[in-house]
Amino acid sequence: MKVVLFCGGQGIRIRDVSDQIPKPMIQIGYRPILWNIMKYYAHYGHKDFILCLGYKADAIKNYFLKYDETLSNDFVFTSGGKNIKLQNSDIEDWKITFVDTGINANIGMRLMQVKEYLEGEEMFLANYSDGLTNLHLPTMINWFKEKEDKIAAFMSHPSYESFHFVDKEDDGTVKKLSQTGTSSLLINTGYFILRNKIFDYMEYGDELVDQPFKRLINNKSLITWEHKDFWVHMDTFKDKQIIDDVYAQGNPPWEVWQMKDMNGKKIKRMGNEDTIR
């Protein structure tokens, strides 16, 4: 399944960190948050990426054009560095399409501009590129596939903050999205699964959540998966500090590709269960 990543925004609320680089390129450990999100999807077999670029697009392009695999992989160093043999690889089997979708475009406009790259795809994944989670993605995808009458799904998470709050029915069908809510409501985390029919509900200039999603709500075609475990977003400098603190503690929850148990053994995720490898 293809993965559309919205990484063209200016990240105004986190300018103290990202004034010289786009927000998706802010470092988390050795790699930018964008890489961490891509690595998450790749772990579950989704390695065909479409990057919707805008603000400082050159920084993202140059990062991959000059990508150094040794930073996050084991390797053997011989002949004084003339020979480097990687023991494993990050992105060798990734396909990345870079699309300039404009500096001032909103999420909906960016999605419309990559529609041609999604032709023939019954459904695809999409992401705001500023949040990290340990969601078991295959479970959510299988759940959505069974909801054949639904056009779009997103992961929601409990929060006190004022994003897009979600009110839903017991089966997950969304009844309302609003900018204000109480602690009993959920927020949209920006982890989406979309059927190609989403474009039938979009007009150029629409913000994805503000207009198309409201049309889907009226049609009872929008659904949400509630994830109560780990999710964190990076919208402000304070958020960045929280993520850095989690990373510094070791074995960060979003690194599902190298989860370890208490004895340091890697955990391979299979289905809905965790098994020791």
Side-chain angles (χ1 to χ4, degrees):
M1 207 178 298
K2 292 187 177 183
V3 184
V4 177
L5 297 174
F6 305 114
C7 42
Q10 298 186 38
I12 295 174
R13 295 182 65 186
I14 198 169
R15 278 292 178 85
D16 288 345
V17 180
S18 65
D19 188 45
Q20 302 302 317
I21 57 174
K23 183 165 69 168
M25 294 305 296
I26 295 176
Q27 295 286 118
I28 305 297
Y30 293 109
R31 298 292 191 191
I33 189 171
L34 176 62
W35 178 92
N36 282 268
I37 293 169
M38 295 172 76
K39 185 73 172 178
Y40 166 86
Y41 281 111
H43 172 73
Y44 291 116
H46 309 289
K47 303 176 182 181
D48 192 342
F49 301 99
I50 301 171
L51 303 189
C52 299
L53 306 176
Y55 178 70
K56 295 187 179 297
D58 59 312
I60 296 176
K61 291 178 179 179
N62 285 328
Y63 175 77
F64 285 103
L65 287 171
K66 301 176 181 178
Y67 191 80
D68 184 357
E69 293 247 58
T70 62
L71 292 180
S72 50
N73 290 288
D74 296 338
F75 62 92
V76 177
F77 176 104
T78 57
S79 301
K82 294 179 181 178
N83 296 320
I84 301 293
K85 183 179 180 180
L86 288 168
Q87 301 302 290
N88 47 293
S89 176
D90 288 327
I91 68 173
E92 186 177 68
D93 55 352
W94 292 9
K95 177 183 177 182
I96 308 174
T97 302
F98 299 83
V99 184
D100 189 345
T101 55
I103 294 177
N104 297 316
N106 62 35
I107 296 297
M109 294 166 68
R110 295 188 194 283
L111 181 57
M112 288 286 284
Q113 290 187 70
V114 299
K115 179 181 177 181
E116 64 180 287
Y117 299 101
L118 296 165
E119 291 182 3
E121 299 291 316
E122 179 185 353
M123 62 180 64
F124 59 94
L125 304 165
N127 197 293
Y128 282 159
S129 301
D130 65 356
L132 300 164
T133 185
N134 65 348
L135 168 74
H136 185 247
L137 186 60
T139 301
M140 180 179 170
I141 291 175
N142 291 334
W143 166 81
F144 180 63
K145 285 180 177 179
E146 294 175 354
K147 313 288 184 180
E148 296 181 359
D149 59 328
K150 307 302 180 183
I151 305 296
F154 59 90
M155 186 185 88
S156 55
H157 192 271
S159 179
Y160 292 90
E161 300 184 68
S162 57
F163 289 85
H164 287 108
F165 283 92
V166 182
D167 191 8
K168 68 180 179 68
E169 297 176 0
D170 290 342
D171 68 352
T173 300
V174 178
K175 296 191 294 184
K176 182 180 180 182
L177 284 171
S178 63
Q179 292 286 348
T180 59
T182 66
S183 59
S184 62
L185 292 181
L186 308 169
I187 67 167
N188 164 25
T189 65
Y191 276 72
F192 302 103
I193 309 174
L194 306 171
R195 286 191 163 88
N196 206 283
K197 292 180 181 178
I198 184 66
F199 293 109
D200 295 338
Y201 291 80
M202 298 181 67
E203 298 177 7
Y204 192 78
D206 284 351
E207 172 57 79
L208 180 63
V209 173
D210 289 344
Q211 289 93 19
F213 273 20
K214 288 179 181 178
R215 295 178 190 125
L216 291 175
I217 291 171
N218 291 335
N219 196 41
K220 293 189 178 296
S221 297
L222 180 64
I223 198 167
T224 187
W225 174 273
E226 182 179 353
H227 179 62
K228 296 181 179 180
D229 204 352
F230 182 85
W231 172 77
V232 63
H233 71 286
M234 188 176 66
D235 196 45
T236 66
F237 179 69
K238 180 180 178 181
D239 297 332
K240 172 66 164 61
Q241 289 180 310
I242 292 173
I243 294 174
D244 285 341
D245 288 344
V246 174
Y247 182 85
Q249 292 171 13
N251 202 23
W254 65 83
E255 290 191 356
V256 294
W257 57 91
Q258 58 181 16
M259 293 180 65
K260 298 178 181 179
D261 66 7
M262 295 298 291
N263 297 316
K265 294 183 178 179
K266 282 191 175 182
I267 299 174
K268 181 179 181 180
R269 304 198 72 161
M270 300 179 63
N272 297 323
E273 300 178 352
D274 292 337
T275 59
I276 304 298
R277 179 171 59 187

